[in-house]
Amino acid sequence: MQKGQYTYPKQEKLKSRTTIDLMFTEGKSVSKYPLRLVYVPIDEAYTDGAPLKMGVSVSKKHFKRAHDRNYFKRLLRETYRHHKHIITDRLDRPYAFMFFYQTKDRLSFEEINTKTIQLFEKFAAQEQL
């Protein structure tokens, strides 16, 4: 296990509006209910040395209250932080990810954790990593 493997540093946070727009126009997606991952390969110049840029989103349509949305965003970031090694160990180029929680169901951390692992494995298989 390498140092810093279970971190989510500022360099990995997806903030660029142009990258987000590119992701939704040209990106691909992979789903494992209730999670969805939209991704696009990005240029090395925009990575700040990070192999991944990742953002999370929870629908306001499903969770009206901000504290509910924030709770699930925290869970998504935490499961990403714990399991990003599944993807980063295999990457040959940088990617931008957007991680979505797409249901009204309030799943437990353990359920979201297992779905995240399955989603990352499905992404790796789809991209032949």
Side-chain angles (χ1 to χ4, degrees):
M1 177 171 35
Q2 54 189 330
K3 185 179 178 191
Q5 181 176 354
Y6 296 118
T7 60
Y8 182 45
K10 187 176 183 178
Q11 296 89 350
E12 287 186 15
K13 295 181 177 159
L14 180 61
K15 300 284 186 178
S16 169
R17 174 57 63 188
T18 56
T19 305
I20 293 170
D21 290 342
L22 176 71
M23 188 181 309
F24 288 109
T25 57
E26 300 177 14
K28 298 178 184 175
S29 74
V30 60
S31 296
K32 188 68 180 172
Y33 177 81
L35 305 176
R36 182 171 166 234
L37 184 69
V38 177
Y39 63 94
V40 65
I42 55 175
D43 190 18
E44 293 273 344
Y46 303 110
T47 62
D48 299 329
L52 291 176
K53 292 282 198 176
M54 202 274 295
V56 296
S57 179
V58 177
S59 175
K60 196 173 190 178
K61 176 180 159 188
H62 296 311
F63 296 102
K64 302 291 186 204
R65 297 184 179 186
H67 67 270
D68 291 330
R69 291 192 303 277
N70 292 340
Y71 172 75
F72 284 104
K73 287 193 284 188
R74 255 192 323 274
L75 287 183
L76 293 176
R77 283 191 296 266
E78 186 69 3
T79 58
Y80 163 77
R81 189 177 70 82
H82 281 278
H83 301 294
K84 70 179 181 179
H85 63 87
I86 295 171
I87 297 171
T88 56
D89 293 346
R90 304 176 188 180
L91 286 181
D92 56 347
R93 59 186 173 179
Y95 280 89
F97 285 175
M98 186 62 93
F99 205 15
F100 294 96
Y101 187 80
Q102 296 187 306
T103 185
K104 289 181 183 179
D105 302 334
R106 295 174 179 269
L107 299 180
S108 68
F109 176 76
E110 291 79 20
E111 292 170 313
I112 293 173
N113 204 23
T114 57
K115 296 293 184 176
T116 302
I117 294 169
Q118 294 169 357
L119 183 69
F120 287 172
E121 292 291 342
K122 194 172 178 180
F123 164 77
Q126 183 169 319
E127 286 295 304
Q128 285 100 26
L129 300 178

